[in-house]
Amino acid sequence: MQNVMLYRRFGRTEQQISVFSLGSMRLVNVPPAQAQATVEAAIAVGINHIETAQAYGHAEALLGQILSALPISRHRLILTSKLTPTADSQDRLREHLQGSLTRLRVDYLDQFAFHGINRPEHLQWVLQEGLPVLRQAQQEGWVRYIGFSTHGSLDLILQAIQTGCFDFVNLHYHFFQQHNQPVLEAASQQDMGVFIISPADKGGMLYRPPQRLQEACQPFSPLEFAYRFLLANPRIHTLSLGITHPQELQTALASLRDPERWWVEGLRVQKRLQEAEEQRLGSTRCAQCYACLPCPEGIHIPEVLRLRNLALAHDMTEFGQYRYNMFGQAGHWFPGVTADHCSECGDCLPRCPEQLPIPDLLAETHRLLHRAPIRRLWE
Ligand code: SF4
Ligand code: SF4
């Protein structure tokens, strides 16, 4: 495969980062030779950022083994690892950091992120306990830049960004989930790097799209459309590829060709998808304004109804089931409980500007999407 990669300045880190990054979470689930071939192919097409985490099984050790055997100079790669905020002592945190360096077989990490600032107490711990250790590690040359990943609320993410303490953010933001859009502006004001988490999987299981979605996204595949949507935004710098086979690079590479196609064909697809929502959801479409929260039963009403929107408008039922059945199973990584917990108290109803019959829609969504519970991949 040819090197056709594009690079963007990763915010104030001043690193030139490839617009696609290789995520390593799934590499641990395939034979080592296949993982190696995937890493080599990614580097061969110009991907220079590889992302991992202490929580991804043996991913760090696997990458250390693969990368140390490659004839590529260390300084040509940007390596990121992540550490989950825990109640560990600062000494223990330092040991964790050293552990990442040892497993990755490097003497410094370009980037280290706190993995999942998902709740206010995580941010508090990071600011009070975690950051001083990483600042010290920075001074000692172990770590160059510090960031965070998050599955938290929009308010919490904005609060973390406004501390000014972080060089980059790993963010969930996709065509089919744009609630975090204000983060892009806030991160840009702080000149932070923006890394988009899982556009293919969490962005809608777009590697296995339903027929209706495929037709609506023509002339692109749904995944290429989703990549182009993100790449058209200059505030986004790199997209994570959770691939496990060299072949899976093809769609990413295709989305780099003729970027101006977005402004004609991409916008046409976007309009078609919006029209499908209007036609198929009519007055029951959830506008994703989040005004209905909080729910005393802990139901994440907007997320449940987003999955309903996608299932009914675009036949994304399989994706809806995948996400819906994670409610109650993944703690702060995916907060909320299933919609059958609705007590019909009515608290949310006056807050909904669309005047949606929320309890009825929740019950319908539960019937549509409820299946056996699902756990997160790396747990
Ligand atoms: S009616 Fe149901 S969804 Fe709405 S606030 Fe009450 S319990 Fe929550
Ligand atoms: S207030 Fe209504 S439109 Fe807004 S997110 Fe909640 S249910 Fe959807």
Side-chain angles (χ1 to χ4, degrees), residues 254-369:
S255 67
L256 297 178
R257 289 182 208 121
D258 303 326
E260 65 282 0
R261 288 180 73 195
W262 171 258
W263 301 109
V264 182
E265 292 157 289
L267 294 184
R268 205 176 287 146
V269 171
Q270 194 167 333
K271 189 159 174 279
R272 210 179 292 142
L273 291 170
Q274 280 159 355
E275 283 168 359
E277 289 200 8
E278 283 158 22
Q279 282 168 14
R280 300 201 178 101
L281 296 163
S283 60
T284 72
R285 180 181 174 276
C286 169
Q288 296 289 288
C289 66
Y290 280 51
C292 47
L293 293 177
C295 160
E297 302 298 337
I299 300 169
H300 192 329
I301 304 168
E303 182 61 9
V304 173
L305 296 187
R306 180 178 80 94
L307 300 177
R308 176 185 180 273
N309 282 353
L310 296 180
L312 296 184
H314 309 305
D315 270 357
M316 292 170 71
T317 312
E318 189 184 358
F319 173 68
Q321 288 169 349
Y322 158 49
R323 300 305 282 168
Y324 183 79
N325 293 293
M326 220 174 255
F327 280 126
Q329 303 299 314
H332 53 74
W333 295 98
F334 193 64
V337 295
T338 48
D340 56 334
H341 287 77
C342 175
S343 62
E344 303 193 10
C345 70
D347 284 8
C348 55
L349 294 171
R351 295 197 288 260
C352 177
E354 307 292 321
Q355 299 182 318
L356 296 181
I358 293 173
D360 295 347
L361 299 183
L362 292 180
E364 181 199 18
T365 309
H366 188 73
R367 284 194 297 275
L368 183 68
L369 301 180

Side-chain angles (χ1 to χ4, degrees), residues 76-294:
R76 288 184 52 208
L77 290 178
I78 300 172
L79 291 183
T80 300
S81 193
K82 308 194 289 298
L83 170 91
T84 311
T86 64
D88 279 349
S89 67
Q90 293 193 333
D91 286 346
R92 190 91 183 96
L93 177 56
R94 218 175 135 79
E95 283 170 28
H96 284 315
L97 179 52
Q98 276 174 323
S100 281
L101 296 175
T102 305
R103 287 184 292 275
L104 283 161
R105 305 188 193 185
V106 292
D107 53 11
Y108 71 93
L109 273 170
D110 304 273
Q111 309 193 137
F112 206 73
F114 291 102
H115 192 176
I117 297 187
N118 298 340
R119 297 182 56 86
E121 56 267 33
H122 298 152
L123 179 59
Q124 199 180 1
W125 180 88
V126 164
L127 295 176
Q128 288 174 357
E129 304 289 335
L131 261 178
V133 176
L134 285 202
R135 292 274 178 249
Q136 176 68 27
Q138 251 179 337
Q139 282 176 15
E140 293 172 44
W142 295 5
V143 174
R144 296 184 68 202
Y145 304 105
I146 299 169
F148 69 98
S149 73
T150 178
H151 296 233
S153 70
L154 176 58
D155 282 352
L156 180 67
I157 303 172
L158 293 174
Q159 209 185 320
I161 286 176
Q162 277 149 16
T163 64
C165 292
F166 303 102
D167 301 314
F168 65 95
V169 59
N170 295 4
L171 182 72
H172 281 279
Y173 173 77
H174 310 293
F175 177 77
F176 292 113
Q177 169 53 299
Q178 297 183 36
H179 180 65
N180 283 337
Q181 190 174 29
V183 174
L184 300 178
E185 168 65 23
S188 169
Q189 281 175 9
Q190 294 275 348
D191 198 16
M192 291 169 69
V194 174
F195 167 103
I196 297 296
I197 304 169
S198 190
D201 185 57
K202 308 299 184 303
M205 271 176 87
L206 300 176
Y207 45 82
R208 202 159 62 222
Q211 186 67 27
R212 187 190 282 176
L213 187 63
Q214 289 183 47
E215 287 164 12
C217 291
Q218 287 298 324
F220 307 118
S221 68
L223 184 54
E224 184 178 337
F225 165 76
Y227 286 152
R228 284 181 182 267
F229 165 76
L230 295 168
L231 292 169
N233 190 329
R235 288 176 168 154
I236 290 171
H237 306 121
T238 186
L239 318 183
S240 138
L241 289 179
I243 58 173
T244 56
H245 194 283
Q247 206 58 33
E248 293 173 73
L249 285 164
Q250 294 297 349
T251 308
L253 298 180
S255 67
L256 297 178
R257 289 182 208 121
D258 303 326
E260 65 282 0
R261 288 180 73 195
W262 171 258
W263 301 109
V264 182
E265 292 157 289
L267 294 184
R268 205 176 287 146
V269 171
Q270 194 167 333
K271 189 159 174 279
R272 210 179 292 142
L273 291 170
Q274 280 159 355
E275 283 168 359
E277 289 200 8
E278 283 158 22
Q279 282 168 14
R280 300 201 178 101
L281 296 163
S283 60
T284 72
R285 180 181 174 276
C286 169
Q288 296 289 288
C289 66
Y290 280 51
C292 47
L293 293 177

